[in-house]
Amino acid sequence: MLSLVFNCENECGQKHEYSQALSHFKDCDLIMACCTQGCGLGILKKDMQYHIDNQCSWTSSPCQRCDGRIYKNQAVKHDCISYLKVELRK
């Protein structure tokens, strides 16, 4: 049985012997995985970086003016003054 060749069940086209097939299945680019940023979406592993860079609402970057975090889904709503007021209260 260990010498049997298995096709990847994700249809990526790869074939592996039993021991490598188990390992490949965990690392296959066509497996669905939860977004590594934590937004809750399931993304194909091969598309994860694109999702993080261009789509994920939990991806953030620092504001150039106040150093607060700007999330992609809230970029229009970001208000430096409100952010700084909250920071001063802390």
Side-chain angles (χ1 to χ4, degrees):
M1 178 166 161
L2 295 178
S3 63
L4 289 174
V5 175
F6 294 87
N7 293 325
C8 177
E9 60 185 47
N10 295 319
E11 299 180 10
C12 71
Q14 294 193 28
K15 297 178 182 183
H16 299 280
E17 289 185 356
Y18 181 74
S19 60
Q20 289 99 10
L22 293 175
S23 173
H24 168 77
F25 179 70
K26 294 176 188 171
D27 297 326
C28 180
D29 284 342
L30 295 181
I31 194 169
M32 294 292 283
C34 290
C35 171
T36 56
Q37 296 286 94
C39 75
L41 289 179
I43 310 292
L44 290 176
K45 278 189 169 185
K46 71 179 186 78
D47 297 330
M48 188 67 69
Q49 194 59 52
Y50 179 84
H51 168 72
I52 290 169
D53 293 341
N54 300 291
Q55 299 171 325
C56 184
S57 61
W58 284 39
T59 298
S60 67
S61 59
C63 175
Q64 299 298 316
R65 297 182 338 185
C66 71
D67 207 31
R69 301 305 295 172
I70 300 176
Y71 292 89
K72 286 188 184 266
N73 64 340
Q74 297 176 344
V76 177
K77 298 178 186 176
H78 178 72
D79 178 11
C80 292
I81 293 174
S82 295
Y83 168 77
L84 292 171
K85 283 181 179 179
V86 170
E87 288 299 303
L88 282 173
R89 287 187 200 123
K90 289 180 184 179

